[in-house]
């Protein structure tokens, strides 16, 4: 018997200006209660009216970074999902503003497993896991030396590696 998904019965807001993306995510997250918003104003009304276990934000077309500020201030775990804004600068902005994860839309068919990481992470950022899963994809999109070109990202990734190394050296500690 398969264990129930940690996403079961979670309330999720998905914000994207592309109706087909909204429908695809709703299908992928059929174990969740999904609210969909196709524009900034609708999304803001949902954010002010409901409580969410996870919010998924497109960046372009819906003013995703401004919405991210609202989700973070309300304490909603937020994942950025993008195709056109898949850049190191957008990744850096998402990290700095408090997103927990950042996914390329090409991974939309796997969104459930990425969101499970967020839920199982207890609402804390899952960057270490994300970079281990998507490092090659980011290299393909950003170029092989993208990590070295930006001081913030280089230091951020070095810090993730140090914390991972420290966790491995201290067995039994969480």
């Amino acid at each position: 018997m398969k264990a129930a998904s940690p996403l079961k019965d979670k309330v999720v807001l998905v914000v994207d200006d592309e109706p087909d993306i909204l429908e695809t995510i709703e299908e992928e997250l059929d174990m969740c209660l999904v609210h969909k918003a196709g524009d900034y104003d609708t999304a803001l009304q949902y954010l002010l009216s409901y409580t969410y276990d996870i919010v998924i934000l497109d960046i372009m077309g819906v003013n995703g970074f401004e919405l991210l500020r609202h989700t973070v201030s309300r304490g909603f775990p937020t994942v950025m999902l993008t195709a056109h804004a898949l850049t190191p600068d957008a990744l850096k902005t998402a990290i700095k503003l408090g997103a927990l994860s950042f996914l390329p839309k090409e991974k939309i068919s796997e969104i459930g497993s990425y969101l499970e990481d967020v839920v199982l992470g207890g609402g804390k950022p899952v960057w270490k896991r994300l970079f281990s899963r998507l490092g090659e994809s980011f290299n393909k999109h950003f170029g092989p030396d993208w990590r070295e070109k930006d001081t913030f990202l280089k230091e951020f990734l070095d810090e993730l590696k140090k914390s991972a190394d420290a966790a491995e050296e201290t067995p039994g500690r969480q």
Side-chain angles (χ1 to χ4, degrees), residues 93-114:
T93 300
I95 292 167
K96 286 183 172 185
L97 291 177
L100 302 186
S101 193
F102 183 94
L103 300 175
K105 282 187 180 174
E106 68 191 39
K107 299 293 185 183
I108 202 166
S109 66
E110 302 168 44
I111 196 163
S113 70
Y114 288 100

Side-chain angles (χ1 to χ4, degrees), residues 151-172:
T151 304
F152 171 83
L153 288 172
K154 181 178 180 348
E155 290 173 358
F156 181 79
L157 293 165
D158 287 348
E159 195 59 39
L160 285 179
K161 184 172 178 357
K162 284 180 194 171
S163 68
D165 292 347
E168 288 176 12
E169 291 174 6
T170 317

Side-chain angles (χ1 to χ4, degrees), residues 15-18 20-21 25 56-62 65 80-88 90-91 102-108 137-138 141-142:
V15 183
D16 199 298
D17 60 331
E18 297 177 58
D20 59 321
I21 295 294
I25 293 174
I56 303 166
L57 299 173
D58 185 22
I59 295 173
M60 297 181 72
V62 295
F65 288 134
M80 305 309 286
L81 180 73
T82 190
H84 303 296
L86 190 58
T87 66
L91 173 62
F102 183 94
L103 300 175
K105 282 187 180 174
E106 68 191 39
K107 299 293 185 183
I108 202 166
S137 179
F138 287 156
H141 285 288
F142 303 158

Side-chain angles (χ1 to χ4, degrees), residues 6-7 54 79 100-101 103 110-133:
L7 296 175
I54 302 173
V79 173
L100 302 186
S101 193
L103 300 175
E110 302 168 44
I111 196 163
S113 70
Y114 288 100
L115 295 182
E116 285 178 355
D117 287 347
V118 171
V119 169
L120 294 172
K124 294 191 172 31
V126 292
W127 295 111
K128 182 170 56 171
R129 175 102 168 109
L130 181 79
F131 284 113
S132 72
R133 291 177 74 179

Side-chain angles (χ1 to χ4, degrees), residues 35-63:
H35 292 173
K36 300 177 289 189
D39 59 69
Y40 175 88
D41 292 332
T42 304
L44 188 57
Q45 284 302 315
Y46 274 125
L47 290 171
L48 297 173
S49 302
Y50 297 95
T51 299
Y52 292 99
D53 296 301
I54 302 173
V55 177
I56 303 166
L57 299 173
D58 185 22
I59 295 173
M60 297 181 72
V62 295
N63 202 354

